[in-house]
């Protein structure tokens, strides 16, 4: 079940995010690309007010998505649950919220080393727009016309 994130989800969401990032990057994880758990928990503590949703399986959280304006800032799925439609459902909820807010396009920054994210987003119509940033880690910007 997808529901709005709550402040009490912060610890579970932070742990899920770090597991998903480690899985996606594997041995390609670049220095500084994996933040400290306490840092991420603090960042997620305000998620309920920030347009965030979680996939709640009853026994644990299996995914999370968050938007800020026209930006998809976060989309993570528990590695063992990937391929079960959770990421797609969270993606669609986030994109739908951006459309509902009147956004004409959506943007997301994707780590250069995260091939899984590039493939997932590409299948949903996102395209790289040529923008790149190198700090804190190399990332490219992708856009989706809404």
């Amino acid at each position: 079940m997808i529901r709005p994130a709550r402040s009490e989800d912060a610890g579970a969401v932070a742990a899920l995010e770090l597991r998903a990032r480690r899985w996606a990057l594997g041995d390609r994880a670049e220095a500084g690309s994996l933040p400290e758990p306490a840092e991420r928990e603090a960042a997620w503590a305000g998620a309920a007010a920030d347009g965030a949703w979680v996939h709640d399986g009853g026994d644990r959280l299996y995914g999370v998505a968050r938007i800020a304006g026209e930006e998809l800032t976060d989309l993570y799925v528990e590695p063992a649950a990937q391929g079960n439609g959770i990421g797609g459902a969270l993606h669609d909820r986030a994109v739908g919220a951006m459309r509902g807010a009147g956004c004409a396009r959506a943007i997301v920054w994707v780590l250069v080393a995260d091939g899984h994210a590039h493939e997932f987003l590409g299948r949903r119509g996102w395209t790289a727009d040529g923008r790149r940033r190198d700090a804190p880690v190399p990332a490219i910007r992708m856009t989706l016309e809404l």
Side-chain angles (χ1 to χ4, degrees):
M1 163 183 88
I2 295 177
R3 63 166 173 79
R6 300 186 291 249
S7 58
E8 60 264 31
D9 295 326
V13 168
L16 174 124
E17 173 190 349
L18 293 174
R19 284 191 302 276
R21 289 177 86 169
R22 280 188 196 100
W23 179 84
L25 297 176
D27 60 2
R28 297 177 313 277
E30 300 167 20
S33 66
L34 297 176
E36 295 297 317
E39 173 189 341
R40 294 310 302 151
E41 185 171 349
W44 281 105
D50 270 28
W53 301 268
V54 295
H55 181 280
D56 188 339
D59 58 336
R60 66 187 298 182
L61 301 182
Y62 288 94
V64 62
R66 178 167 44 182
I67 62 171
E70 68 176 4
E71 186 173 1
L72 176 61
T73 60
D74 300 279
L75 179 59
Y76 300 104
V77 174
E78 184 67 47
Q82 292 191 12
N84 292 331
I86 294 169
L90 286 164
H91 170 272
D92 293 350
R93 175 69 59 98
V95 168
M98 287 186 274
R99 277 191 184 108
C103 297
R105 71 170 181 157
I107 63 171
V108 63
W109 286 92
V110 183
L111 296 180
V112 169
D114 190 349
H116 298 288
H118 293 269
E119 183 180 324
F120 174 87
L121 294 166
R123 286 193 314 264
R124 285 161 178 79
W126 294 79
T127 57
D129 71 358
R131 301 253 337 247
R132 179 184 168 105
R133 65 180 183 202
D134 291 315
V137 293
I140 63 164
R141 190 171 84 168
M142 298 180 79
T143 62
L144 177 68
E145 297 302 316
L146 301 177

